Amino acid sequence: MSGSPAVRGRFAPSPTGPLHFGSLVAALASSCDARAAGGQWLVRIEDVDEPRSSTSAARSILAALVRYGLRWNGEVVRQSQRTRAYEAALARLAAAGLIYGCECTRRDMEAAPRNATGERVYPGTCRGLGLAAGALAQRVRVGDAIVSFTDRLQGRQAQDLADDVGDFIVRRADGLFAYQLAVVVDDAEQAVTSIVRGADLLASTARQIHLQRCLGVPTPEYLHVPVAIAGSGEKLSKQTDAPPLPADPVPTLLAAWHFLDQALPPTRPSSADAFVAYAVGAWSRSRLPPVRMLLAPRV
Ligand code: GLU
């Protein structure tokens, strides 16, 4: 008997708007990748940023997944219900001396240097000040961590966190936990072994692996699929007015499948369920386009 854990994948949408073509691609890829390996597929609503999240968007995302034949295992986990787990993780990091309070304002950060992708690199202004965390933002030390990992599609990745990101926020001054910490705590607790998501999150992965190491939890495998971009070059999102998914799921599922360069079925599937049954059997990781972005089709 093999000692390796069963495959568990997940889809973790932020409920800031309805499911659109870009998020459908991530849902379809993560579900097929887990199911094709005989594994489970979980859904987690990432509403940790409560002011930006809406329960109606969460409801509409879940309804769209069902309509599109993408059924999850177990209960849907919601980050808004998981504050205790994030507090416990933060306390562990703090006990290890890895957390400090930061009183830098947005204005202070505007003076910070930018990395190659335009993100601000935190220069460590408050690192040595010994500020009590209290009502301040809390940052985790990155030390001299150079994090490398092999993405199952994008290949070898390495990031020097100190140079490229700096100590990063795990809890904001308004008390909300940062996505980077929440996602690590949840993936570990849900025993996720395989993360398949859009390549816009490739740049967050080293931060998440750093937190996994600090917390002593396993690092899952990663596969970052190309992000669907609008004609403007921007990622499809509510902000780019990505249209909501059409009522008839089959043509859009076929478009998402084609976007992922997968082999199309010989005849048009009669329903979303029939398509998904076909897709799980036909899923081929080696056919995926090893790029970070692709133009979205019109759906
Ligand atoms: N909630 C994130 C998003 O919707 C995805 C997080 C993840 O897959 O790790 O962009």
Side-chain angles (χ1 to χ4, degrees):
M1 217 169 78
S2 136
S4 58
V7 168
R8 272 161 90 90
R10 52 53 158 193
F11 175 56
S14 302
T16 54
L19 200 69
H20 54 72
F21 183 78
S23 37
L24 176 68
V25 165
L28 181 62
S30 62
S31 150
C32 287
D33 194 64
R35 300 266 187 236
Q40 294 195 323
W41 185 64
L42 315 177
V43 171
R44 181 170 70 234
I45 295 292
E46 298 213 316
D47 52 0
V48 69
D49 189 347
E50 288 187 54
R52 290 190 58 228
S53 304
S54 94
T55 46
S56 66
R59 238 193 334 265
S60 121
I61 289 171
L62 295 174
L65 289 174
V66 171
R67 200 152 39 88
Y68 274 69
L70 298 169
R71 293 208 183 72
W72 55 89
N73 293 104
E75 296 283 315
V76 172
V77 165
R78 290 168 203 269
Q79 291 189 324
S80 53
Q81 312 287 310
R82 305 239 330 119
T83 307
R84 284 228 180 112
Y86 309 145
E87 279 168 355
L90 184 64
R92 279 169 60 202
L93 296 172
L98 292 168
I99 299 293
Y100 62 88
C102 169
E103 61 183 1
C104 292
T105 58
R106 194 169 288 234
R107 187 99 175 265
D108 295 328
M109 279 307 286
E110 276 165 20
R114 289 182 190 270
N115 69 14
T117 57
E119 240 188 306
R120 299 283 182 190
V121 180
Y122 182 65
T125 320
C126 296
R127 189 185 300 134
L129 302 184
L131 298 170
L136 299 176
Q138 295 170 62
R139 290 185 183 268
V140 64
R141 296 173 195 271
V142 296
D144 51 10
I146 296 187
V147 176
S148 54
F149 64 99
T150 301
D151 185 273
R152 291 163 64 216
L153 178 61
Q154 309 286 343
R156 191 91 187 134
Q157 312 287 321
Q159 193 174 34
D160 181 334
L161 283 177
D163 261 21
D164 222 41
V165 178
D167 299 337
F168 58 92
I169 291 184
V170 286
R171 188 174 201 170
R172 301 180 348 193
D174 61 9
L176 291 179
F177 284 94
Y179 154 69
Q180 307 290 1
L181 181 70
V183 80
V184 164
V185 171
D186 292 341
D187 284 331
E189 200 167 303
Q190 295 188 277
V192 169
T193 60
S194 176
I195 293 180
V196 177
R197 60 187 180 187
D200 52 319
L201 291 163
L202 201 51
S204 284
T205 307
R207 265 169 266 196
Q208 293 168 18
I209 293 175
H210 175 63
L211 286 174
Q212 288 154 5
R213 291 178 182 163
C214 292
L215 289 166
V217 298
T219 291
E221 290 190 312
Y222 289 96
L223 189 165
H224 288 86
V225 293
V227 165
I229 53 166
S232 61
E234 279 177 273
K235 178 189 162 190
L236 285 194
S237 65
K238 205 174 62 167
Q239 288 71 31
T240 58
D241 285 331
L245 292 175
D248 180 4
V250 174
T252 314
L253 284 164
L254 289 170
W257 196 241
H258 181 66
F259 178 91
L260 292 164
D261 227 354
Q262 300 294 297
L264 290 168
T267 54
R268 190 180 188 282
S270 56
S271 65
D273 286 352
F275 168 80
V276 170
Y278 160 81
V280 170
W283 174 250
S284 165
R285 185 163 55 86
S286 60
R287 291 186 63 122
L288 291 171
V291 295
R292 295 194 184 182
M293 51 182 83
L294 281 174
L295 200 59
R298 280 183 197 284
V299 290

